[in-house]
Amino acid sequence: MRDVAIIGTGCTKFGELWDRSLRDIFVEAGVSAIVDAGIQGEEIDGLYMGNMSSGRFVEQEHVGSLIADYSGLASKLHVPATRVEAACASGGLALRQGILAVASGYADIIVAAGGEKMTDVDLDTATDALAAAADREWEGIMGATFPGLYAMIARLHMHKYGTTSEQMAAVSVKNHHNGTMNPIAQFRNEITLDTVLQSNMVADPLHMFDCSPISDGAAAVVLAPADVAKKYTDTPVYVKATTQASSPISLHDRADITTLDASMVAGQRAYKMAGLTPDDIDLVEVHDCFTIAEICAIEDLGFFKKGDGGRASEDGETAIDSSIPVNPSGGLKACGHPVGATGIKQAVVITEQLRGTAGKSQVDGAGIGMTHNVGGSGGTAVVHIFSRDR
Amino acid sequence: MTVSRFWRKIPHRYNLIGTHCTNCGEYYFPPRQMCPTCRRDGKIESYQFEGKGEVITYTVIHTAAKGYANQVPYNLAIIKLNEGPSLTGQVICEPGELEIGTRVRSVFRKLGEESEKGMIYYGTKFVVE
Ligand SMILES: [Zn+2]
């Protein structure tokens, strides 16, 4: 197997992009990444595209071919394009497929992208499309919603560990604060604990401001063999680990509802693959689709003891200037969560941080970064570790 | 959900019929064709659950799933059945009556409906025992 590096990144603005289509945003992100890497279309050996539900959101399937076509890569070059789906982990998994293709030696230059256009449909339809990431026949039919499933995780976390609504709200306040420094973020405003606690109850104990928004957006990275990465860029970012784990799709089938064991296992596999421990990670982008999800993630990935994630969040131990900055981009909560794009956007953020080009949210001396992308309520987890040094 | 997707699970939904592996002794709901514990070696047979259990965790849904808007707010819980497996279901009771550890039993109720003219779903809900 060969070492792999990221040599270019691209990202659209995240938010309600009513004047843009799915193909527009995919192409914009892809072209920016290609320009950033300084490569030509002829050099591209393949595309991997994370997308959860274009059939539901824009009534378009077969987006691999569609995007290859509108990127100008289909008609003469016939570049292979593959869509990858794992609910909200689709982007992370597309990245992983791209890395595996380069690592295996089967391909040299790969563009891994992710995108979702969620605001073309009404809220009811969007909510229903997202509910398809849970078990429709045994969770959805009972009236379960996505916030509802995470609310049940939150309720048990509160019961077992004394986690409070204020501690969960602190996650949202921190991520909104980080979002103010991120030019592509959907929300760039500060909020207070009261903003969260006084917002509408969606599924008790989760308020509206405990939930990530419905968003449009796309992101892309260009991958190359590490041996030739310096030919393209002075600041390649090296892939130290790519891992994935599955868990029962239904929340009720998990041994411990407060632990996303797919995250835990994907994390452990990643530390082993990279030969690192949680102490070596300088910053992490985790899957905070709900505030409780960030609390579970920082526990499941080994940054805090199980049950301690709420207290740590409240005490500022995950802020940008702490020992483990969590979601410096604003996370899914403030940056936005176009489901298929999220896993790639996380890699773009970490790449910028390791290159030292993250602007106001730059983490001092960032050398090793991690991404954590979850599908559904934890049926899939994808973890990557990246390093500035090879 | 389509009619056929609902229809073929009716015995399981109406009567809480799952499966039991006679090899390892585990019970499963929803039913499994292959035992997740023994995998290939499992010997699976049909099993009707008694329908009694305990609330592991719960929420009160205020923003409803599609087709459930007229039930808002409704209680949704994960219930661990006495035989072992857990499932997701609604608990019919007053707000505040539901807690982690509450004992519940299953009842046959309307679950939801597709639209005014669409299909009506029936199945299992729970009440406080
Ligand atoms: Zn068995």
Side-chain angles (χ1 to χ4, degrees):
Chain A
M1 298 288 265
R2 303 191 289 184
D3 286 345
V4 181
I6 292 177
I7 58 166
T9 67
C11 202
T12 66
K13 190 166 174 7
F14 278 20
E16 297 178 343
L17 312 177
W18 288 314
D19 56 340
R20 314 291 309 282
S21 70
L22 182 71
R23 71 186 78 185
D24 292 342
I25 56 177
F26 251 117
V27 171
E28 181 192 328
V31 168
S32 335
I34 288 167
V35 169
D36 186 40
I39 57 163
Q40 305 294 320
E42 293 75 24
E43 293 177 82
I44 298 171
D45 294 320
L47 307 177
Y48 286 90
M49 273 170 286
N51 176 261
M52 173 180 165
S53 202
S54 57
R56 298 291 302 278
F57 289 123
V58 295
E59 297 182 353
Q60 175 71 60
E61 307 289 12
H62 207 180
V63 292
S65 169
L66 181 85
I67 303 308
D69 180 5
Y70 278 80
S71 305
L73 299 172
S75 55
K76 289 207 178 73
L77 298 170
H78 308 288
V79 172
T82 307
R83 172 179 169 183
V84 178
E85 190 274 318
C88 330
S90 298
L93 201 51
L95 175 59
R96 179 169 152 76
Q97 301 314 305
I99 292 167
L100 297 180
V102 177
S104 73
Y106 192 81
D108 287 326
I109 304 289
I110 289 285
V111 179
E116 208 82 44
K117 184 80 187 68
M118 301 169 73
T119 66
D120 283 7
V121 293
D122 61 81
L123 187 62
D124 214 25
T125 307
T127 307
D128 196 52
L130 292 170
D135 186 333
R136 180 73 77 176
E137 294 189 6
W138 298 106
E139 294 180 312
I141 193 71
M142 305 306 170
T145 59
F146 243 86
L149 295 173
Y150 275 92
M152 291 197 286
I153 296 176
R155 172 81 61 199
L156 191 54
H157 207 281
M158 294 165 99
H159 178 80
K160 279 178 84 168
Y161 302 114
T163 304
T164 64
S165 291
E166 287 76 11
Q167 291 172 348
M168 290 192 281
V171 172
S172 188
V173 171
K174 184 259 300 171
N175 286 346
H176 268 261
H177 171 70
N178 293 352
T180 62
M181 297 179 273
N182 181 354
I184 70 143
Q186 181 164 3
F187 300 120
R188 302 189 62 198
N189 59 310
E190 300 276 0
I191 59 165
T192 65
L193 281 182
D194 279 347
T195 317
V196 185
L197 298 173
Q198 287 168 16
S199 63
N200 288 341
M201 197 62 98
V202 174
D204 199 358
L206 298 183
H207 298 82
M208 194 176 76
F209 272 79
D210 285 299
C211 310
S212 57
I214 302 283
S215 318
D216 306 326
V221 297
V222 181
L223 302 168
D227 283 341
V228 299
K230 280 266 166 79
K231 205 176 92 188
Y232 296 97
T233 173
D234 294 336
T235 53
V237 161
Y238 299 97
V239 179
K240 303 307 282 185
T242 172
T243 62
Q244 176 189 354
S246 307
S247 214
I249 186 169
S250 296
L251 187 58
H252 57 236
D253 279 333
R254 313 271 172 77
D256 172 9
I257 284 160
T258 63
T259 298
L260 277 67
D261 50 5
S263 296
M264 201 172 67
V265 171
Q268 286 165 351
R269 287 175 181 167
Y271 292 128
K272 188 167 178 227
M273 189 173 181
L276 298 169
T277 71
D279 283 344
D280 298 315
I281 307 295
D282 295 322
L283 77 159
V284 60
E285 285 279 317
V286 304
H287 198 90
D288 61 317
C289 48
F290 299 93
T291 50
I292 186 64
E294 177 165 320
I295 289 171
C296 290
I298 59 179
E299 296 169 350
D300 297 341
L301 295 171
F303 298 116
F304 297 95
K305 190 165 112 266
K306 193 72 215 169
D308 216 18
R311 184 209 54 76
S313 300
E314 190 171 44
D315 291 351
E317 293 176 25
T318 55
I320 286 181
D321 59 359
S322 72
S323 60
I324 181 69
V326 179
N327 285 328
S329 72
L332 283 51
K333 174 68 197 82
C335 188
H337 182 29
V339 280
T342 288
I344 302 281
K345 182 222 76 181
Q346 293 176 327
V348 171
V349 170
I350 296 294
T351 301
E352 287 173 350
Q353 287 278 353
L354 300 183
R355 284 168 160 182
T357 57
K360 284 187 192 160
S361 64
Q362 181 65 46
V363 172
D364 276 347
I368 297 174
M370 179 185 246
T371 61
H372 161 258
N373 191 198
V374 172
S377 63
T380 299
V382 182
V383 169
H384 285 98
I385 298 176
F386 302 99
S387 172
R388 191 178 51 202
D389 303 316
R390 189 165 170 190
Chain B
M1 187 170 298
T2 61
V3 172
S4 57
R5 260 203 294 170
F6 192 82
W7 203 255
R8 65 180 172 239
K9 296 281 164 54
I10 276 183
H12 310 104
R13 285 191 218 286
Y14 285 15
N15 301 311
L16 272 187
I17 293 174
T19 47
H20 173 224
C21 173
T22 56
N23 191 40
C24 69
E26 290 285 334
Y27 293 88
Y28 299 101
F29 188 88
R32 300 272 190 163
Q33 284 177 286
M34 187 187 286
C35 174
T37 309
C38 333
R39 282 168 247 172
R40 280 170 40 163
D41 303 327
K43 281 205 171 57
I44 289 279
E45 62 179 31
S46 234
Y47 177 83
Q48 177 160 13
F49 287 90
E50 200 191 353
K52 293 184 177 179
E54 178 184 338
V55 170
I56 299 298
T57 183
Y58 68 96
T59 178
V60 185
I61 305 256
H62 293 268
T63 303
K66 199 173 184 177
Y68 291 75
N70 59 358
Q71 300 182 29
V72 171
Y74 55 91
N75 303 315
L76 187 75
I78 291 178
I79 292 140
K80 188 174 173 62
L81 297 172
N82 287 351
E83 292 90 341
S86 295
L87 51 76
T88 299
Q90 291 187 29
V91 181
I92 309 160
C93 67
E94 291 303 314
E97 205 184 337
L98 195 57
E99 282 176 11
I100 289 172
T102 300
R103 300 283 315 169
V104 294
R105 67 179 166 84
S106 65
V107 289
F108 184 73
R109 289 285 189 282
K110 177 179 164 183
L111 294 179
E113 60 193 14
E114 231 146 52
S115 63
E116 274 174 31
K117 288 183 188 156
M119 185 175 173
I120 296 175
Y121 305 128
Y122 291 94
T124 301
K125 287 190 182 178
F126 291 83
V127 293
V128 176
E129 207 179 358

